[in-house]
Amino acid sequence: MLRHLIGALGACLIIGPAAAHVTLENRETPIGAGYKAVLRVPHGCEGTATTSIRVRIPEGVIRAKPMPKPGWTITTVTGKYAKTYELFHAKLSEGVTEIAWSGSKLPDAHYDEFVFQANLADDLQPGKNLYFPVVQECEKGVHRWIEIPAEGKGPGDYKGPAPGLKLLPKR
């Protein structure tokens, strides 16, 4: 009995910190497809409310469009892509590179989701991961979920890992 309790406690310690990070709801998707990104925000900073969520859109994620959230203001930054992509017979050389939701408060004791949709370029490499660095600003403090794991490391090796998306082969 004690062994099971210790095992369960150990599992909680391993799972607990991972649940404290901003993460993607769907953590894998095929290249060349549409993707609905749902950023899950489980807490604030230092016990205070979240006031802004900002996500950087990685190269190869094109035509990003944020979903409105009642009470929140959306701002986007657009810029040139590193290359021109073809999507639905159109050539895209620039688009949204950053999305921010601000102007409201998400209490520390509450959880919420921030959503955008995009397309994944055909030439992304299956088996690799894309990372979406997120900056979470609060009434007191900031969490920077921006660390991208080095080769051979995983999100659990970092204090502020960026939400990651595993790329699957095109369907």
Side-chain angles (χ1 to χ4, degrees), residues 19-22 40-53 72 104-112 114 136-143 145:
H21 305 327
V22 171
R40 299 183 302 186
V41 179
H43 60 73
C45 315
E46 300 177 37
T48 66
T50 298
T51 57
S52 172
I53 292 291
W72 293 82
S104 194
K105 292 182 182 180
L106 171 59
D108 180 58
H110 296 171
Y111 153 91
D112 207 346
F114 296 80
Q136 175 186 12
E137 296 181 24
C138 300
E139 292 174 319
K140 238 194 229 181
V142 173
H143 283 304
W145 310 109

Side-chain angles (χ1 to χ4, degrees), residues 16-142:
H21 305 327
V22 171
T23 58
L24 287 167
E25 179 179 73
N26 297 314
R27 297 180 188 182
E28 56 182 39
T29 196
I31 62 170
Y35 177 65
K36 178 182 174 185
V38 179
L39 293 165
R40 299 183 302 186
V41 179
H43 60 73
C45 315
E46 300 177 37
T48 66
T50 298
T51 57
S52 172
I53 292 291
R54 190 171 65 244
V55 59
R56 190 178 76 216
I57 309 301
E59 186 65 32
V61 177
I62 54 178
R63 212 183 84 175
K65 294 180 178 186
M67 184 168 132
K69 258 184 112 37
W72 293 82
T73 300
I74 296 173
T75 55
T76 58
V77 174
T78 57
K80 296 269 183 200
Y81 295 138
K83 59 180 261 175
T84 298
Y85 297 97
E86 191 169 322
L87 181 67
F88 306 124
H89 307 293
K91 294 194 183 296
L92 303 173
S93 59
E94 63 182 52
V96 173
T97 58
E98 186 175 290
I99 300 169
W101 292 264
S102 61
S104 194
K105 292 182 182 180
L106 171 59
D108 180 58
H110 296 171
Y111 153 91
D112 207 346
E113 299 174 336
F114 296 80
V115 180
F116 66 93
Q117 70 175 18
N119 290 84
L120 298 175
D122 286 337
D123 61 355
L124 291 170
Q125 192 172 358
K128 296 287 185 178
N129 291 302
L130 278 183
Y131 292 95
F132 296 78
V134 173
V135 175
Q136 175 186 12
E137 296 181 24
C138 300
E139 292 174 319
K140 238 194 229 181
V142 173

